[in-house]
Amino acid sequence: MDDELPGLTYLKMLCEQIPELEIVKVFNDPEKLVAELPVLDFDLLITDVEMPGEDGLSLATQLKGKLVVFTTAYKDYAAAAFEIDAVDYITKPVTKERLQKAVHKSLEQLRNRALAPLFVTMNTDKGKTLIYFDSIQSIKVSPTDSRDKEVLFEDDSILILKNINFDSLMQHLPKEEFCRINKKEIVAFKAVHSYSHNEIVLKSRLKTGQRIRLNLSETYRSYFLKNIKT
């Protein structure tokens, strides 16, 4: 995406010369892209940074699970781009060789995602159990034994992990999907409904109908705010 038509036309021409790329759609207005996000099926966005209205950095934070490569005439945004885990940052003029390098880096990340485990086997109060990462909402210290951890799933069911600490848990969980938010709790990013400076509200609700609220401590606040994509 590029707001300047000559730049957009040139970038499209380069993309057409890279066999690994299939162009889904081109945009010269970030707001139009945002409006169509629910119906677009793509893995990688190649975009300028400075554009009227919404800039590329802000746009990238809305693309959950998508890879982003920035192309821009300015070097000043490189640090900010990599803070939001951009695959690459290309300064204009863009060459086919440089763009192809960024595409290959993107493909490598996609392959690594495909190879990533979808579950982990852990000791629980039900015996050895397969726990699928995408079904986890949150994990907290068990109220009956601090050595155990209580997992809340999407269907509101609960499972007790036996005798495991948070450091070990975080090594098992995909770091891009989970975050420790205080000394006693871990949350799945996708489970977050809303948040403030010191509180996280989950999509799940208590039996009273109220949403579950968790404390966001100062120790983990910076990492959470940097990585949350809501």
Side-chain angles (χ1 to χ4, degrees):
M1 181 172 63
D2 196 313
D3 61 300
E4 298 179 355
L5 288 178
L8 183 63
T9 302
Y10 175 69
L11 184 60
K12 181 175 181 289
M13 179 193 71
L14 290 181
C15 290
E16 289 171 341
Q17 296 176 32
I18 300 176
E20 298 90 342
L21 278 183
E22 177 184 352
I23 300 172
V24 175
K25 197 165 185 178
V26 296
F27 292 88
N28 66 345
D29 183 341
E31 292 184 358
K32 290 182 179 179
L33 169 58
V34 172
E36 292 191 32
L37 276 178
V39 295
L40 286 176
D41 183 14
F42 66 99
D43 298 308
L44 170 66
L45 172 69
I46 303 172
T47 181
D48 196 358
V49 175
E50 285 201 344
M51 296 177 289
E54 189 159 22
D55 63 73
L57 294 170
S58 175
L59 174 63
T61 63
Q62 301 179 53
L63 305 180
K64 298 179 182 180
K66 309 298 184 183
L67 302 180
V68 180
V69 168
F70 290 107
T71 63
T72 177
Y74 305 95
K75 297 181 180 180
D76 303 349
Y77 300 106
F82 290 117
E83 281 184 3
I84 57 175
D85 296 325
V87 175
D88 211 338
Y89 187 94
I90 306 173
T91 52
K92 296 178 179 180
V94 182
T95 65
K96 176 185 174 183
E97 292 72 23
R98 184 64 183 87
L99 183 59
Q100 196 156 28
K101 181 180 178 181
V103 170
H104 287 165
K105 289 172 67 175
S106 301
L107 290 172
E108 183 177 357
Q109 286 200 23
L110 289 171
R111 282 193 290 267
N112 289 339
R113 285 185 183 181
L115 294 172
L118 302 176
F119 61 85
V120 64
T121 303
M122 306 199 80
N123 292 320
T124 76
D125 57 340
K126 308 294 184 183
K128 289 276 188 181
T129 305
L130 293 181
I131 299 175
Y132 286 84
F133 300 131
D134 63 357
S135 65
I136 299 173
Q137 294 280 293
S138 63
I139 305 173
K140 69 177 183 179
V141 172
S142 170
T144 56
D145 188 337
S146 61
R147 294 172 299 179
D148 299 339
K149 305 299 177 284
E150 186 178 285
V151 184
L152 174 66
F153 294 99
E154 285 185 332
D155 61 0
D156 294 328
S157 63
I158 291 174
L159 191 66
I160 303 298
L161 306 181
K162 300 300 293 182
N163 196 23
I164 187 168
N165 59 47
F166 278 122
D167 288 340
S168 296
L169 266 176
M170 290 304 296
Q171 289 179 14
H172 287 294
L173 299 171
K175 65 179 182 179
E176 69 276 5
E177 297 178 25
F178 293 87
C179 178
R180 190 167 179 182
I181 57 171
N182 58 54
K183 290 183 178 181
K184 296 184 176 183
E185 291 170 309
I186 294 171
V187 71
F189 284 121
K190 70 169 190 173
V192 176
H193 175 265
S194 59
Y195 58 90
S196 63
H197 187 65
N198 57 11
E199 185 181 64
I200 295 170
V201 181
L202 299 188
K203 296 174 182 176
S204 294
R205 297 177 184 270
L206 299 168
K207 292 181 179 180
T208 59
Q210 296 178 316
R211 293 192 186 275
I212 297 174
R213 297 176 179 271
L214 308 175
N215 176 57
L216 177 58
S217 73
E218 183 177 358
T219 303
Y220 304 99
R221 183 179 299 135
S222 176
Y223 183 86
F224 176 82
L225 295 176
K226 175 182 173 182
N227 290 278
I228 186 70
K229 300 295 193 293
T230 61

